[in-house]
Amino acid sequence: IPVVRLVAELMPLGATAGIWTFSERVEQLIAPAKVDSAWKAAALKATTKIHSRGQFTDIEAALKMATQAWQSRVDTDTARHVILLTDGVVDVSKNATASIASRERILTAGLDRLKANGVQIHTIALSANSDRDLLTTLAESTEGWAEQVDNAESLQRVFLHMFEQAASPDTIP
């Protein structure tokens, strides 16, 4: 919730942004749209919908949903960023084989599509038990950042740093 509030405050006006949550399902909190005062207000209001009741972590579906409009790299002047905040473990069902297959699709066809479409993935792992190899590969393969946080205090600092890299918000020296 604090991270979404931070996004709402710092997202530069005129940028296009959307926000999704994910577990076994992906839920769009804010549809991708030009950031204006209405978008920022909607993002703040959407924080009431954030929860941690999901049992699984479908990173593959989240990446697909968040980037579905980016089918090709048409505009080379527009930066495309995804900030993935997750516990970092691909577990799409109780069936371990399904989770392993999803992870493999992320690292093959999914990663190839993201790179071809000029997407930079920035990852924040919320647990020392995260799949560091997956998150680091996603970030490094797309020229993004990979970080891990161990407590709530460091989450905002790390997220702010990544957000500054991805969105170039207005700042005061």
Side-chain angles (χ1 to χ4, degrees), residues 22-23 55-60 84-93 99 102-103 106 124-132 134-135:
F22 62 98
S23 54
Q55 294 181 341
F56 300 107
T57 308
D58 195 342
I59 293 173
E60 179 184 16
L84 179 66
L85 178 66
T86 180
D87 65 5
V89 178
V90 176
D91 58 339
V92 298
S93 76
S99 296
S102 178
R103 185 183 188 281
I106 292 169
I124 302 174
L126 295 174
S127 167
N129 297 323
S130 67
D131 185 342
R132 296 285 295 162
L134 171 69
L135 298 178

Side-chain angles (χ1 to χ4, degrees), residues 46-121:
T47 61
T48 61
K49 299 177 185 176
I50 297 172
H51 61 82
S52 58
R53 294 184 296 266
Q55 294 181 341
F56 300 107
T57 308
D58 195 342
I59 293 173
E60 179 184 16
L63 289 172
K64 281 182 182 178
M65 179 78 73
T67 63
Q68 69 183 353
W70 298 338
Q71 296 305 314
S72 63
R73 184 73 168 146
V74 176
D75 182 359
T76 58
D77 293 331
T78 301
R80 293 175 168 177
H81 297 272
V82 170
I83 299 175
L84 179 66
L85 178 66
T86 180
D87 65 5
V89 178
V90 176
D91 58 339
V92 298
S93 76
K94 292 180 181 179
N95 179 343
T97 304
S99 296
I100 292 167
S102 178
R103 185 183 188 281
E104 185 61 27
R105 285 189 302 272
I106 292 169
L107 290 171
T108 55
L111 188 54
D112 289 344
R113 183 181 65 82
L114 293 167
K115 288 172 25 180
N117 293 328
V119 179
Q120 284 185 297
I121 306 292

Side-chain angles (χ1 to χ4, degrees), residues 19 29 40 54 58 82 123 126 170:
I19 302 172
L29 290 181
K40 289 179 178 234
D58 195 342
V82 170
T123 63
L126 295 174
D170 294 332

Side-chain angles (χ1 to χ4, degrees), residues 8-9 11-14 34-45:
E9 294 296 327
M11 186 64 69
L13 296 174
K34 291 280 185 200
V35 175
D36 58 14
S37 59
W39 186 97
K40 289 179 178 234
L44 289 172
K45 185 177 178 183

